[in-house]
Amino acid sequence: MIRDNPDVQRAEDIMRGKQAKSEDILQLAELMKKEKLFGYARKLLFTAAQNPSLDLSSKLGTKIRQQRALCTYKDPDLPADTKFDHALEILGQCEDLSTTRDQETLGIAGAIYKNKWETFAQRADLERSLAYYTRGCSENIEGDFGYTRVNAAFILDILADQERTEAARANTVSTSAQDRVARGQAIREEITTKLPPLADDAKYEFLKNEWWFHVTVAEAFFGLGRYAEAEKWLETAKKVPGKVADWEFETTARQLAALARLKDAAHQPGQRPWDVLQSFLNGAAGVTSAFIGKVGIGLSGGGFRAALFHVGVLARLAELDVLRHVEVLSCVSGGSIIGTQYYLELQKLLKDKKDEGIDRQDYIKIVEKVQRDFLAGVQKNIRTRVLANPWANIRMLLFPNASRTERVGELYERHLFRRAVTGQEGDPIWINDLIVHPADGPANFNPKIHNWQRRAKVPTLILNATTLNTGHNWQFTASWMGEPPAGIDNEIDGNYRLRRMYYYEAPKPYRRYRLGYAVAASSCVPGLFEPINLPDLFPDRTVRLVDGGVRDNQGVTALLEQGCSVLLISDASGQMEAQAEPGNSALSSLLRSNSILQTRVRESEYHELDARRRSCLLRGMMFIHLKKDLDVDPIDWTNCEDPFDASEEARPSIRRGDLACYGIRKDVQSLLAAIRTDLDSFNEVEAYALMTSGYRMTEYEFRRAAPNFPVCNDSVAWKFLEIEGPMKRVAGVDAAHHEIMQLLRVANYQAFKIWRLVRGLRILAWLVFGALVLAAGWACYRWRDFPLVTPGRIGIAALVAAGTALLGSRLMKLIRYKDTAERVGISIGMGVLGWLLALIHILVFDRLYLRRGRLSRIAAIQE
């Protein structure tokens, strides 16, 4: 734990006012940097910079200023839109960045702009980074021992690769790219010529113990393709006395792997670049991480529909042996429900089994169990069970703090998560207990630091909600909660930010938080569920959380904030459908406008990701959704004499078939896209059809999205694929296909689905409706002469008004007492009535619906 670290405790004492010398603070900040605690290091250096006796232009002051700028741009807890500019401001104190020749300052400025490019995907930032590094190159190489030179060469290769890619699309060759490559190679030749002799020069004896000196020379040789010499220098770097931070190894490995990719070198076992890195890192796990990049999965919102679709996606990724590489799992709403279920199972595996013993089959078994357990939990009908407890109903009606949303969270724990967690039924499950300590991991295991050298990564689970107070994204993890700085643009967003906090730092009632409530916060759709309230977490305000999809329905922000370079997005959200006759009322137009707004947000997120992919910031991007490859054609105007079908823009015949590109019939997929986004029961046909759709879509898209990703192509006989036949063809399975289509057509309704499928129930419904109409008519006839307004009633109202004015609060207390008694009576009545209706639905109509949608029934029809 961070709080148990003695260096952290020393840092906190200094930040609280304990006196210390600037030199000692700088030394402690260096220790914080080695442990990747850049936030602590930044605050320490700020404290040192405030020392009135410190001259910022002195050698010590310059060092503190430079390191403070470095820690500022590296601090993940600062907003990205301001931290880079702030770091440049710090760097520019007592120094003009436009004219400075200080190579350390120029190197940090170049790194700031490089990181700015990685965050915002603006090529101008990459060019600016190159300009600072190039200015550093013009100084003597002994000034920084090649640091600015080797980074300038790397940036030149990135820019050359972008220009080469654009030129290839136009079937031409970029001379600019060739020039950049030549410049980069010339810089590397200079490094390999001038730096190695310095290691044997008595004047530079200290270089033998400098890690960065050795890896700089190694990178220059590596970029020139002189791998034997690169390997020699890397081995020398490993022998440098003193502990080198894991993240420094990781940074070096990732840059070398990126360089190999830019040079089109093969990154497979047995190839020279791979072998060099494997020798350097003492194993293949770190090399694989370096070449692949950081993998993140985004599971969108969309109720149980989305969750079931995501199961199919996870199944295919497990089959491909991709899940072991996933380092971040960002979940929203329905994605949070299934993501938590998967994570609980994965946690047990990582705790019980050593890294080297975990294989592909373990992940397949996890997803198979999740598939079974999750569907069993879904078929308990959590939405209806919210009302299936009379005491809970009465409590929710009488006490404002007892919300349906919290009740849903408790049901998630009881019917879903408890299947993966040992313990007594009814005991709370705490999100803090999701922290994973791998079976063979170090005592201070931190996934951000130690993951990259593991074969089976320990992913960070992020549950995304939205804060009504500020409109920002709110995140729950096993370690902390709060609003992340990423995604908040201070130029246009004037709202305060509710800072993230570790649970041990939070006010006492929040040092443990229920997992079910966190998932409920991520999935409480506004208008259907009340917000999750967090009173007294921050001074003078109550935090209110709603569905994460209000802000970011695909969980993209968290993946980018965590530095993922391979994004696998499963989007099963409720996409806006076209309407021939949109509603004309004020309410319907409001709801429709909100759908349009959400669609625009979704489009913007996709375009941002696509821009990152085209800028080479992403090494892979898969974005699948329920309407993928469905027919989208323009509508001809009335009496059109220029029909679209006859135009050259019309879809070719090969794209007009019955099947989507991933093998599912388009009419079936259209119905799957229209299934309700709800928390009620899903029968096997609905569930397995959604899983099959997610599985086949992932199978088709993954290879195109990440063509160089190492995968296993052996297939698995998943249970849900038994329904695939009628989803792909009609001939030979006409009756089964017809039955599936019938079930899916009613699957978009929130209620009365079984009534729409069974003729007898429809007749019964009409008879009940007729009886109610007759009863209402009789009541109107019976009381037709009963006056609503009489002199007596007017007199009573006047007396009440006069009494209120004369007796004031005493009369009001009496009235409120009667109101309270009436409210209690009504609440008890409604609670019991709601329980009876919910019980009838679960025991009768829900069972009929689940029985009608059994897979065995479809199999019998096929036979």
Side-chain angles (χ1 to χ4, degrees):
M1 294 289 288
I2 292 176
R3 61 179 167 174
D4 298 328
N5 186 325
D7 292 332
V8 170
Q9 292 172 3
R10 284 175 57 205
E12 289 179 342
D13 288 342
I14 291 172
M15 288 185 289
R16 291 192 185 103
K18 183 178 180 180
Q19 294 299 306
K21 294 180 180 179
S22 295
E23 296 90 337
D24 295 337
I25 294 176
L26 177 60
Q27 186 178 18
L28 182 56
E30 290 290 344
L31 291 175
M32 296 289 98
K33 278 174 54 186
K34 283 186 176 294
E35 297 178 45
K36 220 171 180 179
L37 300 173
F38 294 107
Y40 280 99
R42 173 181 62 83
K43 294 171 186 175
L44 280 171
L45 292 165
F46 171 76
T47 301
Q50 302 309 301
N51 188 336
S53 64
L54 178 69
D55 180 4
L56 287 176
S57 62
S58 66
K59 186 175 180 180
L60 176 60
T62 299
K63 182 70 173 177
I64 288 175
R65 176 167 47 84
Q66 290 170 339
Q67 291 305 303
R68 184 182 163 209
L70 183 146
C71 293
T72 296
Y73 87 76
K74 283 183 174 289
D75 188 351
D77 290 324
L78 292 178
D81 66 306
T82 57
K83 71 178 182 180
F84 298 115
D85 293 337
H86 185 43
L88 290 168
E89 289 174 9
I90 295 169
L91 201 59
Q93 293 173 359
C94 306
E95 195 170 8
D96 186 351
L97 295 183
S98 64
T99 59
T100 184
R101 313 305 296 182
D102 186 298
Q103 288 173 301
E104 179 75 11
T105 296
L106 291 168
I108 293 173
I112 291 171
Y113 276 103
K114 176 175 173 284
N115 279 266
K116 198 172 182 180
W117 166 70
E118 291 173 347
T119 302
F120 300 115
Q122 298 298 311
R123 182 186 171 94
D125 291 325
L126 201 57
E127 295 281 8
R128 192 76 175 269
S129 174
L130 178 62
Y132 280 111
Y133 284 136
T134 302
R135 202 191 313 162
C137 292
S138 65
E139 302 298 312
N140 290 332
I141 197 169
E142 294 88 351
D144 66 350
F145 302 106
Y147 176 80
T148 51
R149 282 169 169 78
V150 79
N151 281 289
F154 182 67
I155 299 297
L156 283 166
D157 280 343
I158 293 176
L159 289 166
D161 183 66
Q162 292 181 2
E163 292 169 351
R164 189 166 49 237
T165 301
E166 291 301 321
R169 289 171 181 164
N171 197 28
T172 187
V173 176
S174 170
T175 56
S176 174
Q178 293 175 336
D179 291 342
R180 289 187 191 274
V181 170
R183 284 172 58 196
Q185 296 299 78
I187 290 172
R188 293 187 179 104
E189 291 286 359
E190 180 189 10
I191 292 172
T192 57
T193 301
K194 293 183 177 181
L195 284 189
L198 297 183
D200 299 322
D201 191 331
K203 179 182 176 182
Y204 299 106
E205 181 71 20
F206 66 91
L207 290 177
K208 292 182 179 180
N209 297 329
E210 289 292 332
W211 157 270
W212 287 111
F213 172 76
H214 296 283
V215 297
T216 295
V217 177
E219 183 179 333
F221 278 120
F222 196 89
L224 291 170
R226 296 161 63 176
Y227 298 117
E229 291 150 297
E231 186 172 20
K232 169 190 160 188
W233 280 90
L234 289 173
E235 288 301 317
T236 305
K238 288 168 61 177
K239 297 174 183 176
V240 168
K243 179 174 174 55
V244 177
D246 284 341
W247 71 267
E248 292 179 301
F249 267 102
E250 180 183 4
T251 300
T252 300
R254 289 194 186 280
Q255 182 136 322
L256 291 174
L259 191 55
R261 285 195 307 275
L262 292 169
K263 299 294 184 182
D264 292 326
H267 48 280
Q268 298 173 359
Q271 301 299 320
R272 200 68 183 101
W274 180 285
D275 292 342
V276 170
L277 283 176
Q278 181 165 281
S279 174
F280 174 56
L281 300 174
N282 298 323
V287 188
T288 303
S289 298
F291 274 109
I292 289 175
K294 193 170 185 178
V295 182
I297 293 180
L299 301 179
S300 79
F304 284 159
R305 178 187 75 179
L308 292 164
F309 180 84
H310 298 329
V311 170
V313 175
L314 293 173
R316 182 56 182 165
L317 293 178
E319 197 173 89
L320 292 169
D321 202 20
V322 171
L323 289 182
R324 70 164 64 249
H325 300 290
V326 174
E327 297 192 53
V328 182
L329 193 59
S330 177
C331 308
V332 183
S333 196
S336 293
I337 304 171
I338 191 63
T340 300
Q341 185 86 15
Y342 166 75
Y343 195 84
L344 289 168
E345 297 290 350
L346 178 62
Q347 181 189 33
K348 291 191 292 186
L349 171 68
L350 296 171
K351 282 184 173 181
D352 297 341
K353 203 168 185 179
K354 291 185 177 180
D355 186 37
E356 62 183 14
I358 298 174
D359 58 22
R360 168 179 174 264
Q361 193 59 37
D362 289 312
Y363 289 89
I364 290 172
K365 288 179 180 177
I366 284 175
V367 178
E368 285 178 334
K369 186 173 187 301
V370 167
Q371 171 203 299
R372 291 192 306 270
D373 289 352
F374 187 72
L375 181 56
V378 166
Q379 292 186 341
K380 292 293 184 180
N381 200 330
I382 287 178
R383 183 192 69 182
T384 305
R385 284 184 184 274
V386 172
L387 301 175
N389 184 315
W391 309 117
N393 291 351
I394 295 169
R395 181 166 57 91
M396 288 186 290
L397 288 167
L398 288 176
F399 302 103
N401 292 332
S403 70
R404 288 183 302 141
T405 309
E406 290 185 348
R407 174 68 178 150
V408 166
E410 293 161 8
L411 291 171
Y412 287 156
E413 291 184 5
R414 178 179 179 183
H415 295 293
L416 294 173
F417 307 151
R418 181 57 65 188
R419 298 171 185 269
V421 177
T422 57
Q424 296 295 320
E425 183 175 340
D427 287 347
I429 303 175
W430 305 104
I431 192 170
N432 315 60
D433 294 336
L434 265 62
I435 292 177
V436 176
H437 296 287
D440 52 351
N444 63 338
F445 179 82
N446 184 334
K448 285 189 175 182
I449 297 174
H450 302 108
N451 242 349
W452 71 286
Q453 292 219 49
R454 287 182 57 87
R455 293 174 66 252
K457 312 298 184 190
V458 177
T460 299
L461 176 68
I462 301 176
L463 306 177
N464 295 277
T466 303
T467 317
L468 287 181
N469 307 64
T470 62
H472 298 156
N473 175 223
W474 177 282
Q475 296 175 353
F476 289 100
T477 74
S479 303
W480 46 260
M481 63 178 171
E483 294 181 354
I488 300 175
D489 190 336
N490 291 327
E491 285 294 320
I492 58 175
D493 186 344
N495 291 337
Y496 54 78
R497 177 168 61 92
L498 300 170
R499 292 178 57 194
R500 291 192 293 200
M501 72 199 80
Y502 290 102
Y503 293 110
Y504 70 82
E505 298 175 312
K508 193 170 183 180
Y510 295 100
R511 290 181 185 172
R512 301 190 81 191
Y513 194 72
R514 285 193 73 160
L515 177 61
Y517 291 171
V519 176
S522 177
S523 58
C524 58
V525 179
L528 297 180
F529 293 100
E530 305 92 339
I532 284 284
N533 297 323
L534 306 177
D536 302 321
L537 183 59
F538 294 89
D540 303 322
R541 51 186 50 81
T542 296
V543 177
R544 302 192 194 282
L545 304 176
V546 295
D547 195 301
V550 173
R551 172 84 185 192
D552 174 12
N553 205 26
Q554 288 71 42
V556 169
T557 301
L559 297 180
L560 296 178
E561 182 201 16
Q562 295 294 320
C564 296
S565 55
V566 178
L567 305 188
L568 309 176
I569 309 298
S570 176
D571 180 12
S573 58
Q575 297 180 41
M576 186 182 73
E577 78 290 349
Q579 292 181 353
E581 292 285 343
N584 195 37
S585 69
L587 178 60
S588 60
S589 62
L590 174 64
L591 295 175
R592 184 67 173 172
S593 298
N594 181 65
S595 297
I596 294 171
L597 178 61
Q598 289 293 98
T599 299
R600 183 71 185 105
V601 170
R602 180 173 177 270
E603 289 173 354
S604 296
E605 280 199 333
Y606 175 78
H607 289 312
E608 180 186 355
L609 293 180
D610 192 48
R612 288 176 174 274
R613 180 186 58 78
R614 288 185 279 108
S615 299
C616 305
L617 285 172
L618 296 181
R619 301 180 196 173
M621 186 186 83
M622 181 184 80
F623 195 104
I624 58 175
H625 57 92
L626 282 167
K627 290 191 175 182
K628 191 168 188 65
D629 201 41
L630 296 184
D631 297 342
V632 180
D633 289 329
I635 301 297
D636 295 326
W637 59 87
T638 303
N639 299 325
C640 175
E641 296 182 1
D642 179 24
F644 175 77
D645 283 347
S647 68
E648 63 179 352
E649 312 97 73
R651 237 172 333 105
S653 57
I654 192 173
R655 294 286 310 281
R656 295 174 179 240
D658 292 334
L659 296 182
C661 57
Y662 40 90
I664 304 297
R665 285 184 60 87
K666 292 178 180 177
D667 55 355
V668 174
Q669 189 64 38
S670 295
L671 293 177
L672 291 177
I675 288 180
R676 66 201 178 280
T677 56
D678 208 339
L679 301 177
D680 65 340
S681 291
F682 277 63
N683 60 44
E684 289 182 347
V685 166
E686 295 170 312
Y688 290 162
L690 285 164
M691 293 178 194
T692 299
S693 175
Y695 175 88
R696 289 302 179 197
M697 214 178 286
T698 304
E699 177 184 54
Y700 175 79
E701 282 294 321
F702 185 83
R703 274 296 190 186
R704 300 168 70 244
N708 297 318
F709 207 101
V711 296
C712 176
N713 290 309
D714 296 339
S715 59
V716 174
W718 299 96
K719 175 69 174 177
F720 57 78
L721 290 179
E722 294 178 18
I723 201 174
E724 187 174 22
M727 293 176 65
K728 296 178 69 171
R729 64 187 187 277
V730 175
V733 290
D734 298 50
H737 175 77
H738 175 75
E739 177 64 15
I740 286 177
M741 293 295 282
Q742 255 195 318
L743 288 164
L744 294 182
R745 283 191 186 99
V746 304
N748 67 319
Y749 291 100
Q750 303 290 332
F752 303 111
K753 291 180 286 294
I754 188 62
W755 299 68
R756 300 172 192 276
L757 289 168
V758 179
R759 186 178 180 184
L761 288 177
R762 290 200 299 274
I763 294 173
L764 176 61
W766 281 110
L767 290 174
V768 171
F769 178 73
L772 291 174
V773 170
L774 290 174
W778 177 83
C780 290
Y781 175 78
R782 176 71 178 78
W783 294 324
R784 64 186 184 280
D785 296 327
F786 188 75
L788 296 177
V789 179
T790 64
R793 291 189 175 186
I794 294 174
I796 292 172
L799 286 174
V800 170
T804 301
L806 293 173
L807 301 177
S809 60
R810 292 184 180 179
L811 181 60
M812 290 308 298
K813 285 181 180 179
L814 179 61
I815 293 173
R816 285 173 183 165
Y817 173 78
K818 292 181 177 179
D819 286 346
T820 300
E822 183 179 355
R823 184 161 60 88
V824 169
I826 292 173
S827 296
I828 293 173
M830 290 180 64
V832 174
L833 179 62
W835 164 65
L836 288 173
L837 292 175
L839 201 61
I840 291 170
H841 179 77
I842 290 172
L843 294 179
V844 180
F845 300 113
D846 209 38
R847 288 186 178 182
L848 289 173
Y849 186 64
L850 295 177
R851 189 178 303 160
R852 177 67 182 262
R854 283 180 181 168
L855 189 61
S856 57
R857 188 171 177 276
I858 302 298
I861 293 174
Q862 285 183 270
E863 294 174 0

